[in-house]
Amino acid sequence: FKKCRFLGPLAAGLSVTGSESRALEIRECIFAETTHGVELLDAAAWTDFLLVNNTFFKNDVAVRVARQPATTSKGLSLRRNLFFE
């Protein structure tokens, strides 16, 4: 996902589920007025998951990780995100 706008009110801007997630990149998106900006719901084996250069504005919880990622996860990166109000 690149340069998307998730404008609320919404329960979640983006919900990610599944037992294995590979090469998921969320970049330069806006999450505004959501309960959860991004939800990671399962204890998945995350591989090359990037959450980079996003804006979170007026979210109850910007990034929700429901369960700890699996021990086989690698490349999970949250960088240069802006959290406001």
Side-chain angles (χ1 to χ4, degrees):
F1 297 93
K2 187 172 182 179
K3 295 188 179 182
C4 298
R5 293 180 185 207
F6 302 93
L7 308 176
L10 297 169
L14 186 62
S15 293
V16 182
T17 63
S19 61
E20 190 171 309
S21 296
R22 293 176 186 252
L24 180 59
E25 184 174 335
I26 304 164
R27 182 182 293 273
E28 300 172 27
C29 295
I30 297 172
F31 297 88
E33 297 183 13
T34 65
T35 302
H36 303 112
V38 175
E39 291 181 311
L40 308 177
L41 297 176
D42 295 323
W46 301 98
T47 304
D48 299 327
F49 177 86
L50 301 174
L51 188 61
V52 180
N53 291 343
N54 298 289
T55 299
F56 294 90
F57 176 68
K58 289 190 178 179
N59 300 284
D60 292 345
V61 176
V63 179
R64 177 179 178 243
V65 180
R67 294 185 180 170
Q68 181 174 337
T71 57
T72 56
S73 296
K74 61 181 178 178
L76 180 59
S77 179
L78 285 83
R79 297 183 313 217
R80 297 186 304 267
N81 295 289
L82 174 65
F83 303 91
F84 185 65
E85 282 190 37

